[in-house]
Amino acid sequence: MGRVPILFLHIFVVAACGLVYELLAGTVASYVLGDSVTQFSLVIGIYLSALGAGAWLSGFVGKDVARRFIEVELAVALLGGLSAPLLFLAFASLSWFQLVLYGTVFLVGVLVGLELPLLLRILKDELEFKDLVSRALAFDYIGALVASVLFPMLLVPRLGLVRTSLAFGILNAAVGLWATYVLADLLGRRARGLRLRAALAIGVLAAGVAKADLLTSLAEEGLFADPVVYARTTPYQRIVVTSGPAGFQLFLNGNLQLSSADEYRYHEALVHPAMAAAGSPRRVLVLGGGDGLALREVLVHPTVESVTLVDIDPAMTELSRAFPPLAELNRGALADPRVKVVNEDAMVWLEAPGPPADVAIVDFPDPNTFSLGKLYTTRFYGLLKARLAPGGAVGLQCTSPLFARRSYWCVVRTLEAAGFRVRPYQCAVPSFGVWGFALAALEPIDRPLRAPPGLRSLDDASLAALFVLPPDLAPLEAEVNRLDNQVLVRYYEAEWRRWE
Amino acid sequence: MTGPPPLGRAGKAGRTRPPAVTRGSTRRELLVALLGLPFAAASCRRGPRRGPRVPEGEIVGASHDLGHRVRDGLVPAVPADRWTRAAVAIVGGGIAGLSAAWRLERAGFRDFVLLELEEAAGGHARSGASRVTAYPWGAHYVPAPLKEDRALVALLDEMGVLGGRDAEGEPVVREEHLCRDPEERVFFKGRWYEGLYLHAGASREDLAQLAAFRAEVDRWAAWRDAKGCRAFAIPLARSSDDPEVTRLDREGFGEWVARRGWTSPRLRWLLDYACRDDYGMRLEETSAWAGLFYFAARLRGPGAEPRPLVTWPEGNGRIAAHLLAAVRPRVRLGLAAVDVASGLEAGRPAVRIVAVDRSGAARGFVADQVVFAASQLVARHAIRDWRAAPPAHLAEIEHGSWLVANLHVRSRPREVGFPLAWDNVLRESPSLGYVVATHQAGRDHGPTVLTYYHPNCDADPRSARARLLAMDHADSAELVLADLERAHPEIRGLVERLDVMRWGHAMVRPRPGFVWGSARGARRPWRGIHFANAELSGLPLLEEALHHGVRAAEEVLAARGVPFETML
């Protein structure tokens, strides 16, 4: 076989690789940044303009066209091949991720844009101009077609983004290596050095494949079952929203907070027993619960005049107000005129005096760090008690009494030690398993009898059933959680570790 | 760490990974560590060439210039109309002087004046404040007192820190004033561990020696002399003077440890850290009595948990501020007493004090009694009769020097291992590490102030002091940052401001023979001058300063025939 068909095959492969890198960048961007229309538009636009820039730059290559062609090919193999892992890593650790993203897309585009004109110049002496242009462009576009078909149907489902990226980098570099033999007469003595570099690039990328599992897990790609539609690292936590066939999920620091499919079970159980126990509550406090879903349940009650929601993270409450899927799910609760949002640590906020509340809903993440553990101490509950109006009631989420039974009872004991009368209860939330709550008040309380109408999981009978604890959830001995001992964090850690 | 947790995604805040307390390095941290490597390497290479950036800040406090005027012994003339009379004058507005004033005030006695050289009262318990938080400049906690420390119990009760007594009548500190868990962690070879004693990797022998040391401390906690006194009690005045205990003061702590065959590097480090932390001294130089005091005085009895620590964002500045608030109208700041002379005034014994302010203007005070609550070092130069013939005990008092820095950081450093605690100790550093000002307030995110402590533990405190005072702000900042960089490679980027306090004469050094030696004689009043300072106990502790302040004030009240019920 002469070298002309081989070089057309090169055009085909180079085009396919270039398009794969472009698709990878677009996919990573829409995974991690959400808004896939914008991401793909920008990536395609930048990529195409970069192709033009590359073509223009090729005019500055004078001599040694063959050598430059192979160098460019190796560069694009490395950069494109490593682009997906690089972008995931950049997203996880840099605040200027977009700069890296668009910079990578542009650079890959420039390099790919350089390739075709250089190759055309190499081939110009071997074919007539009309044949050269028609065939070169045809192979170029066919390559793009093949890549765009393979990418969603075979590559992403089978290999995943990181491996696809690396595999195409290797293909790209291998073609470069092949070209050193095909163009050996044009390269002369330089062929050996180029072959060495090509081998090196293949080695780096192959090492990447070997470590792809590690890279993938590092890059969070494997952490979530569904595509990421929103992600942001705030000073307080990492917020990730994923979207799948069953709806969307919210994760804080990688821990599932809610699944839109069954969150109503959790939030109805969290809110309505306390609201019912307090009679006709007017002033309500929601501590934590920045997702606005407890708030949604509170606002169902027509007697409610004002709600103060205290959540440490402004990014979380803003997401709940403005991010359409979440704002729809909480029925615009954060925009309700009765609601006041305070972004402060709930404990610091409670230390300052304030007006009394008829109901307080306490919805913090589980006590898996010391800074969360402090929100489950006698000190915290003592401050909360001071804010409760006579006849008021508190509803609290208290982790799972099945998976973390001692932790659950530790919360109950701590509430009691702070002077609350407590009624423990539980409900099943498929995403979480059996979940535990507490109804607390200053005076002895009967379990509430009436659920408000129109709820999905609670009526009078199922409300009563919440307060039935099966024997496997029965009380366990537990110490009282205090600021100066933080036993709850230690219980919690020990108990959940068994389920890892 | 791979694969889904059981039961699908179980758990609100659930279980895709373990809580931070177990495995500090989460995926994200690993990721960042991986990515950080090239950057860290690059910055290392760049470091020496460009020279490190010095953060904004200044050297604050300890007015060495005005302080050293006292040493110069020049006594200006005071115009006749610049003399003031007060029944009692207190020299020194540290904890001892403020306590004396507070004690007089509590007895309803208000005819006194307190002179303090600095522009702020509080002495070694001073504090500062920024937009973000208050923070300490020196002493930053007290162990919860046992009921026998009646003065401190009365003070904390008045401050609203106590919430009643337990079944045995011991005071109970309110939860919000007890040091919040996690209290301390230690950095060793690239990782933070909970607690001070490094349990990770401890051998059987290490643990056996730790247990043996604890048993020895327990033995002393249980020990009582014929009069029923504890071997080690706070205040020291309540400790037994039985020779079986006091002979421990004749020996070095290091020697005492070695004689028991305790060679475990972990145990020796812990004991050395304790000496550096409380006394600014190495294990070898510290009196064995003082070393054991650190551990045994904090136990109610054998096997008991050590008394919990009481602390505030501004450290013991909270106590200083409370004491000051009670007596503020009678406090004169920025006045250095340069001459204190006992004599006769209209046929009655009186003490005349000449004081100068920063501008050099002189004022005089005539008092019946003086409570001299500044250091004996100052007394040596200020008391007229002592200038010519200093008492013998003065030669024995030695002070260590400390560097304290407050680092205002824009956010918390990244962690490897156990999360940020109140007290964060670097095991492989001569410093004591740092405390976090916002910890006690429960503010766990965003900007904070780290207070870094570095005692100069040299055997020769003079050369150490000279070295400390020769350092400018840039030198000090570099010392602090280079040390912290071991545990927090990104610390330079986080620091917005770094202020430094150089405590030239910070802590009295309890060398062997000092606590139970001749310096005890200085507690007796001398010609109308009553002495009050933690130095007189030989232990640089707030409890001792408070005790001596209260004792001196009560001596004065007794001398004046003012009725009172003793707090001692």
Side-chain angles (χ1 to χ4, degrees), chain A residues 89 92-93 217-218 223 225-226 233 235-236 249 251 253-257 266 312 345 348 363 365-366 368-371 374 377-379 397 403 431-432 435 482-486 489-490 492-493 496-497 499-500, chain B residues 2 5-23 27-28 30-32 34-35 39 173-176 178-183 194 308 414 418-420 440-446:
Chain A
L89 288 174
S93 53
S217 64
L218 283 177
L223 189 59
D226 295 323
T233 299
Y236 309 100
Q249 293 85 33
F251 296 83
N253 293 334
N255 299 320
L256 180 65
Q257 300 298 306
Y266 173 94
I312 193 168
D345 184 295
V348 175
D363 188 18
D366 274 9
N368 64 358
T369 66
F370 291 110
S371 55
K374 74 176 187 238
T377 55
T378 40
R379 168 69 176 161
Q397 90 87 0
F403 306 134
S431 296
F432 297 156
W435 213 252
R482 297 163 48 88
L483 276 180
D484 55 315
N485 69 12
Q486 295 251 23
V489 177
R490 298 167 207 277
Y492 185 87
E493 171 204 336
W496 277 105
R497 193 155 42 189
W499 302 95
E500 293 291 328
Chain B
T2 52
L7 310 154
R9 287 178 236 152
K12 168 90 169 174
R15 312 308 311 146
T16 44
R17 69 177 182 229
V21 276
T22 43
R23 262 176 264 174
R27 283 177 185 192
R28 185 176 158 76
L30 244 171
L31 221 158
V32 164
L34 203 85
L35 221 118
F39 292 112
V173 177
R174 287 183 193 276
E175 188 175 353
E176 63 268 34
L178 287 177
C179 181
R180 187 183 141 209
D181 194 55
E183 192 171 299
E194 181 172 15
R414 289 185 208 281
F418 194 78
L420 194 65
Q440 196 60 16
R443 285 165 38 209
D444 298 322
H445 303 277

Side-chain angles (χ1 to χ4, degrees), chain B residues 541-556:
Chain B
L541 303 176
L542 179 134
E543 297 94 317
E544 297 305 320
L546 174 70
H547 169 80
H548 288 294
V550 168
R551 173 192 51 73
E554 291 192 353
E555 283 170 10
V556 167

Side-chain angles (χ1 to χ4, degrees), chain A residues 175-220:
Chain A
V175 167
L177 182 60
W178 191 9
T180 61
Y181 293 97
V182 176
L183 301 174
D185 58 325
L186 299 176
L187 294 168
R189 286 184 302 114
R190 300 193 183 278
R192 271 188 62 185
L194 285 171
R195 275 168 209 161
L196 204 67
R197 280 194 259 170
L200 202 66
I202 291 173
V204 167
L205 293 162
V209 174
K211 294 278 174 197
D213 276 337
L214 178 66
L215 280 172
T216 304
S217 64
L218 283 177
E220 288 186 354

Side-chain angles (χ1 to χ4, degrees), chain B residues 16 42 63 154 249 318 452 480 524 538 561:
Chain B
T16 44
S63 308
D249 190 41
R318 178 71 63 98
Y452 170 92
V480 175
R524 283 190 294 275

